[in-house]
């Protein structure tokens, strides 16, 4: 950051981040810009990837009421074995007292290696989880071909089993559900083969299971935008801001970012050719949601307030300054985000 002390009074009000309608910033874009870039009117509004995520799929359950008889749950210990099978690293976990307790918030790969095999996984819902409305994902996928596995959520209290939730699919289709709880306690995820599907409804090929938090965090690492925004020579003493932008930075179809990801922090650097500048302000436009922000150039973190911004959309990047000795802005972007762990996003944990 290169500023003169005499400019402090001039910038005192402007150095605070502000948000406003796109039209307000568009009206400020100088018609005399050497590089006209992309104005807000030219930026195509994109459909946020959040449209693929449906919060109505989240179900609240009491955790007390059984929705199926406990006799649907297998706890067998001997049956037909898959060819050359020795089970998986979590065996023997064929019942509630033998349940695996280490796999919460992890992707588990395990096998149904015999016709009576069942895999039990235990986790605990606390009172604070309930008061904070914690949301959980349960996803069973990569079911071996020709097999049909089912996923149940069960309880085991005072030696009594109960089935509190399931959403069964036929054949090798993935199963997934998303829940909040009203009752604290221990719960069990049970994976087993569907009875009557075939005489060989088991395999040495592992399935993939996730049970854990619905909301996960991630980041889009620091990356060059590919922009070189030249402000030209603006002499000291100038009082009219010189604008550049908006310039398109499109993350709409970026496959490195999960669908439905929400911005936690958006960093926009002031990197460039090192030339002198005074009064540099960065402008960020979330074109897909028609909202914009302005931040003092020397502060990397853009203040987006309480806005809910989707990462996967078309962004516009621009700025203005008061003086410059041919400053060329080459911004880098870094974004941290929260995203929903749904079936289509599970591969981001692999």
């Amino acid at each position: 950051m290169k500023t003169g002390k005499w400019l402090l009074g001039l910038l005192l009000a402007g150095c605070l981040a502000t948000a406003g309608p796109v039209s307000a910033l568009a009206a400020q874009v100088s018609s005399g810009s050497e590089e006209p870039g992309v104005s807000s009117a030219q930026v195509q509004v994109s459909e946020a990837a959040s449209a693929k995520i449906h919060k109505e799929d989240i179900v609240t359950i009491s955790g007390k009421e059984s929705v199926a008889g406990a006799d649907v749950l297998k706890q067998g210990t001997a049956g037909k074995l898959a060819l050359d099978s020795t089970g998986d690293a979590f065996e023997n976990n064929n019942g509630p007292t033998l349940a695996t307790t280490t796999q919460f918030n992890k992707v588990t790969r395990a096998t149904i290696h015999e016709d009576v095999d069942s895999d039990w996984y235990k986790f605990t819902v606390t009172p604070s989880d309930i008061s904070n409305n914690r949301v959980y994902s349960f996803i069973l996928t990569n079911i071996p071909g020709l097999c049909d596995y089912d996923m149940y959520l069960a309880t085991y209290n005072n030696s009594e089993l109960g089935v509190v939730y399931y959403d069964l699919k036929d054949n090798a289709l993935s199963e997934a559900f998303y829940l909040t709880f009203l009752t604290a306690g221990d719960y069990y995820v049970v994976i087993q083969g569907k009875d009557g599907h075939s005489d060989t409804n088991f395999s040495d090929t592992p399935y993939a299971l996730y049970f854990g938090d619905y909301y996960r965090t991630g980041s889009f690492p620091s990356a060059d935008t590919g922009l070189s925004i030249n402000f030209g020579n603006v002499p000291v003493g100038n009082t009219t801001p010189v604008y550049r932008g908006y310039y398109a930075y499109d993350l709409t179809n970026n496959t490195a970012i999960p669908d439905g990801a929400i911005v936690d922090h958006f960093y926009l650097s002031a990197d460039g050719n090192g030339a002198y500048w005074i009064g540099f302000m960065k402008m960020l436009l979330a074109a897909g949601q028609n909202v914009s922000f302005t931040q003092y150039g020397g502060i990397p973190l853009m203040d987006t307030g309480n806005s809910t911004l989707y990462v996967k959309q078309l962004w516009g990047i621009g700025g203005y300054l008061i003086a410059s000795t041919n400053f060329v802005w080459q911004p880098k972007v870094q974004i941290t985000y929260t995203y929903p762990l749904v079936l289509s996003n599970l591969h981001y944990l692999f």
Side-chain angles (χ1 to χ4, degrees):
M1 179 178 64
K2 302 177 184 294
T3 59
K5 290 184 179 180
W6 62 270
L7 193 63
L8 181 60
L10 177 63
L11 294 180
L12 188 57
C15 70
L16 299 178
T18 60
V22 174
S23 58
L25 284 181
Q28 296 175 5
V29 178
S30 171
S31 60
S33 298
E34 293 180 6
E35 300 179 32
V38 182
S39 74
S40 60
Q42 295 170 307
V43 175
Q44 296 298 310
V45 175
S46 61
E47 180 180 358
S50 62
K52 302 177 183 178
I53 308 301
H54 304 285
K55 284 190 174 182
E56 60 267 25
D57 291 338
I58 298 173
V59 177
T60 299
I61 65 170
S62 70
K64 293 181 178 180
E65 300 173 0
S66 291
V67 295
D71 56 347
V72 302
L73 302 176
K74 297 181 180 180
Q75 299 183 69
T77 58
K80 299 177 182 178
L81 288 173
L83 183 64
D84 297 328
S85 178
T86 58
D88 55 59
F90 305 105
E91 294 292 350
N92 178 13
N93 61 345
N94 289 3
T97 61
L98 300 171
T100 301
T101 60
T102 59
Q103 296 306 106
F104 186 79
N105 267 346
K106 299 177 182 179
V107 175
T108 300
R109 292 176 176 82
T111 61
I112 298 298
H113 65 278
E114 58 181 342
D115 57 352
V116 296
D117 186 24
S118 60
D119 294 340
W120 291 63
Y121 304 90
K122 179 180 178 181
F123 69 99
T124 301
V125 175
T126 68
S128 63
D129 294 333
I130 296 171
S131 62
N132 292 326
N133 200 34
R134 189 174 186 178
V135 185
Y136 298 79
S137 294
F138 302 86
I139 301 172
L140 172 64
T141 191
N142 291 1
I143 298 171
L146 303 180
C147 291
D148 186 347
Y149 296 169
D150 289 334
M151 175 172 57
Y152 294 91
L153 184 64
T155 55
Y156 180 67
N157 297 311
N158 299 319
S159 299
E160 290 189 9
L161 283 171
V163 177
V164 294
Y165 203 84
Y166 62 85
D167 185 13
L168 309 183
K169 300 293 189 296
D170 292 330
N171 301 314
L173 292 177
S174 300
E175 299 182 2
F177 46 83
Y178 314 100
L179 305 176
T180 60
F181 293 82
L182 297 178
T183 304
D186 294 331
Y187 291 85
Y188 300 82
V189 180
V190 184
I191 309 300
Q192 60 186 45
K194 183 188 296 292
D195 280 335
H197 175 71
S198 72
D199 291 335
T200 56
N201 193 19
F202 45 89
S203 175
D204 284 326
T205 301
Y207 59 80
L209 170 69
Y210 173 85
F211 61 98
D213 285 308
Y214 176 85
Y215 294 108
R216 301 295 299 254
T217 58
S219 65
F220 182 68
S222 180
D224 289 324
T225 60
L227 299 175
S228 290
I229 303 172
N230 192 341
F231 285 90
N233 184 38
V234 183
V236 174
N238 172 62
T239 58
T240 302
V242 174
Y243 286 83
R244 297 289 185 269
Y246 293 98
Y247 298 84
Y249 186 63
D250 196 355
L251 296 177
T252 304
N253 298 310
N254 193 304
T255 58
I257 303 169
D259 288 341
I262 301 293
V263 173
D264 291 327
H265 298 101
F266 196 115
Y267 298 89
L268 187 60
S269 78
D271 289 323
N273 62 351
Y276 186 82
W277 55 257
I278 295 175
F280 176 41
M281 302 291 287
K282 299 175 297 187
M283 303 186 305
L284 179 65
L285 169 68
Q289 296 175 264
N290 204 34
V291 62
S292 58
F293 307 89
T294 303
Q295 177 70 282
Y296 181 51
I299 301 176
L301 178 61
M302 299 297 293
D303 185 352
T304 56
N306 295 321
S307 300
T308 299
L309 302 174
Y310 294 102
V311 180
K312 295 181 76 169
Q313 64 175 298
L314 186 59
W315 297 88
I317 296 174
Y320 63 89
L321 48 68
I322 299 298
S324 162
T325 55
N326 296 300
F327 173 52
V328 178
W329 183 27
Q330 297 168 317
K332 294 181 180 179
V333 163
Q334 182 178 357
I335 307 171
T336 62
Y337 53 76
T338 297
Y339 68 98
L341 207 292
V342 295
L343 177 60
S344 61
N345 283 338
L346 184 61
H347 65 281
Y348 291 100
L349 295 186
F350 287 178

